[in-house]
């Protein structure tokens, strides 16, 4: 996410889970791609609106790079059509901003349970 506040909030909520830890947070997809190569995460949260590359294109690249990764789109600007497109490209779930701790936890649990 390009928002430092959202990255911080996501990190905090994820790190509060007993079986999860955030291994990195990136402000743009190119930094994220290198971080993913270095940390090998199981789940990636991804905004649709990002600098340098849109989230749909990023989803395609992430799936090609690491097909087993679970991708949760977290976005305020995306409509239902964008969510459907992201899922068609390989995203596994969608969460609208703003979100509560509970909503993020449920979305992550659903991803893990459905994997």
């Amino acid at each position: 996410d390009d928002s430092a506040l959202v990255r911080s909030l996501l990190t905090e909520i994820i790190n509060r889970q007993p079986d999860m830890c955030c291994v990195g947070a990136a402000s743009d997809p190119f930094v994220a791609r290198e971080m993913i190569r270095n940390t090998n995460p199981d789940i990636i949260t991804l905004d649709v609106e990002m600098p340098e590359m849109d989230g749909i294109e990023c989803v395609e690249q992430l799936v090609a790079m690491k097909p087993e990764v679970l991708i949760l789109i977290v976005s305020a600007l995306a409509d239902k059509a964008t969510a459907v497109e992201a899922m068609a490209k390989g995203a596994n779930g969608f969460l609208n901003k703003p979100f509560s701790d509970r909503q993020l936890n449920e979305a992550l649990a659903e991803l893990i349970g459905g994997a």
Side-chain angles (χ1 to χ4, degrees):
D1 201 294
D2 60 338
S3 165
L5 178 62
V6 173
R7 287 192 313 273
S8 176
L9 181 61
L10 285 166
T11 299
E12 181 181 321
I13 294 169
I14 290 167
N15 284 338
R16 276 190 258 155
Q17 303 308 304
D19 56 348
M20 292 185 192
C21 71
C22 181
V23 297
S27 61
D28 77 62
F30 298 104
V31 171
R33 186 171 47 206
E34 284 307 308
M35 196 175 290
I36 290 162
R37 284 187 179 120
N38 294 329
T39 61
N40 197 30
D42 297 316
I43 300 173
I44 297 169
T45 61
L46 181 66
D47 194 356
V48 173
E49 296 290 323
M50 297 182 298
E52 310 296 327
M53 178 189 313
D54 77 24
I56 303 301
E57 182 181 349
C58 190
V59 167
E60 287 182 285
Q61 290 187 14
L62 291 174
V63 169
M65 180 176 89
K66 188 172 167 43
E68 71 280 5
V69 74
L70 299 173
I71 301 171
L72 176 64
I73 299 292
V74 181
S75 183
L77 301 176
D79 57 17
K80 187 173 183 175
T82 304
V84 169
E85 184 180 4
M87 301 286 270
K89 299 293 183 180
N92 305 92
F94 190 90
L95 180 63
N96 283 312
K97 293 180 199 172
F99 55 85
S100 68
D101 289 21
R102 181 185 58 78
Q103 289 169 316
L104 178 60
N105 291 336
E106 287 174 359
L108 292 170
E110 186 176 314
L111 279 183
I112 294 167

